[in-house]
Amino acid sequence: MSLHDEAVLVLKGYEGQEELRQAYLEHLEAHPDGTWKSCHAGHITASALVIDPEHGRVLLTLHKKLRMWLQMGGHCEPGDAGLAAAALREATEESGITGLTLLPGGPVRLDRHPIPAPCHWHYDVQYAVLAPPGAVQAISDESLDLRWFGYDEVAEVADESVVRLLEATRARL
């Protein structure tokens, strides 16, 4: 199954955010290349919030280009078996933590946001991953910093999209 077809299936099975979910599906219907960075009308991305529920904290990256505290994530790659696999790969690469596991239940949220030219939109499919006990992070080339933040600290450092992702994740735990 192609990544495009898998993304359509994931989105059709996603419950919630109906208007936004429909916008994602319409985008994919109009753009057979809509899962790839080369689609300048916008493309699907996959991200994951790294969470440590035992200690009530999340790991955020200080994004090198955007200079904002965000969840891990990025573009889908040809070797990704699906959106969840892409999100898990991105979280592992950007956090340096091995042994991350996806929170069951599929995507936690959707978040569409404009990005600078030549592209127009990121249609982000957001997951959550659980950090294993004793997880130790390592900064990647895409990050200026990595830091654990308590749940109550996230709103002080991150934008509303990250706060909403944390709230939706905590509701699933």
Side-chain angles (χ1 to χ4, degrees), residues 18-146:
E18 185 56 35
E19 188 175 320
L20 188 55
R21 182 182 77 89
Q22 192 58 41
Y24 278 47
L25 289 167
E26 289 170 5
H27 174 76
L28 288 172
E29 184 176 340
H31 302 281
D33 61 343
T35 55
W36 306 117
K37 185 178 180 178
S38 59
C39 181
H40 295 303
H43 46 266
I44 300 291
T45 56
S47 68
L49 183 66
V50 177
I51 188 164
D52 176 2
E54 184 179 332
H55 295 101
R57 61 187 188 160
V58 297
L59 183 66
L60 299 179
T61 179
L62 183 56
H63 195 278
K64 192 177 258 185
K65 290 181 184 176
L66 300 176
R67 298 190 182 276
M68 296 171 60
W69 289 103
L70 300 169
Q71 74 275 13
M72 317 300 152
H75 298 103
C76 298
E77 295 181 0
D80 292 330
L83 296 180
L88 182 59
R89 175 187 50 76
E90 286 285 344
T92 301
E93 289 174 359
E94 293 181 15
S95 71
I97 298 173
T98 56
L100 296 172
T101 56
L102 284 160
L103 188 65
V108 175
R109 283 192 47 78
L110 304 176
D111 185 76
R112 182 178 64 179
H113 46 271
I115 58 170
C119 188
H120 299 293
W121 294 98
H122 272 177
Y123 293 82
D124 197 30
V125 180
Q126 301 178 324
Y127 292 83
V129 294
L130 301 172
V136 177
Q137 71 272 16
I139 297 174
S140 75
D141 292 342
E142 298 180 39
S143 182
L144 294 172
D145 196 6
L146 282 174

